[in-house]
Amino acid sequence: MKFFVDTANLDQIREANDLGVLDGVTTNPSLMAKEGIKGEEAIFRHYETICDLVDGDVSAEVLSTDYNGIIEEGKKLAAIHPNIVVKVPMIKDGIKAIRWFTENGIRTNCTLVFSAGQAILAAKAGATYLSPFIGRIDDSSWDGMELIGQISHIYKLQGFKTEILAASIRSALHIVKAAEMGADVCTCPLDSILGLLKHPLTDLGLAKFVEDAKKMNG
Ligand code: E4P
């Protein structure tokens, strides 16, 4: 399973990248706005910086919601760097646009996915990645992981090539469950990635080793 970090914050991207296990970055308009990035020039520059920091796919989301707008914006985003993946919302015009991008060699990430039906449509349109929003499903008292399992089953059965990118991750447990359910990629906040490190027996064991190492040093 590939690891993406889900943020537009450059310090967090650097920290995740320094771990040496990062395969890419996802952003969305809310994450970009949180960093105070405004205007096309600043947005493009920010994506360029992220692409320079990380050697992996970087999802850049279109702001348009109509077919022509999505195409024009997607073409410009894709031209920023070969690692840019154009993130397109799961709407009718979005699906049409994904088909166009697929036919024109531009990779896509279909976002805001909440059902298996939507997953089938995106795969049929040729999306490179599909982003089911696990945490938001859990927030509404459904089981987001069940959806990952269902889509994984359907994609295997039907031979779809679209990669399942588990998104809206809220915890380290979500990452483990996404891996179990067959997600190809997990995009996570930095805290959830760091959460994978935690185990009290590791801390206790290390404290004892460090103490005993002092004895060995005389
Ligand atoms: C990723 O591609 C999504 O934009 C992101 O994971 C959404 O996460 P949230 O539900 O925590 O906003």
Side-chain angles (χ1 to χ4, degrees), residues 6 26 28 87 133 136 167-168 170 187:
D6 191 28
T26 53
N28 65 35
K87 207 168 171 191
F133 276 34
R136 293 193 196 184
S168 185
R170 303 266 192 265
T187 189

Side-chain angles (χ1 to χ4, degrees), residues 102-158:
T102 304
E103 283 165 1
N104 288 275
I106 293 176
R107 295 177 310 137
T108 53
N109 173 357
C110 182
T111 190
L112 289 167
V113 171
F114 294 90
S115 77
Q118 292 176 327
I120 292 171
L121 263 185
K124 290 290 293 175
T128 315
Y129 294 109
L130 176 92
S131 290
F133 276 34
I134 303 313
R136 293 193 196 184
I137 296 175
D138 285 2
D139 289 346
S140 59
S141 79
W142 289 58
D143 186 352
M145 284 307 159
E146 270 184 26
L147 178 61
I148 297 287
Q150 189 186 17
I151 297 170
S152 175
H153 177 70
I154 292 170
Y155 278 12
K156 274 198 191 83
L157 204 65
Q158 300 294 335

Side-chain angles (χ1 to χ4, degrees), residues 10 24 95 98 111-112 115 132 145-146 164 166 177 184 190 201 205:
L10 298 180
I95 286 298
I98 288 172
T111 190
L112 289 167
S115 77
M145 284 307 159
E146 270 184 26
I164 304 168
K177 291 280 174 200
D184 301 289
L190 178 61
L201 288 179

Side-chain angles (χ1 to χ4, degrees), residues 40-75:
E40 192 176 87
E41 208 188 309
I43 293 170
F44 281 34
R45 214 176 321 117
H46 201 75
Y47 286 135
E48 248 170 28
T49 308
I50 296 175
C51 291
D52 288 344
L53 286 175
V54 177
D55 183 18
D57 288 345
V58 174
S59 287
E61 189 158 344
V62 295
L63 307 180
S64 304
T65 53
D66 65 290
Y67 176 74
N68 290 326
I70 294 172
I71 298 290
E72 285 320 304
E73 234 186 286
K75 282 196 284 192

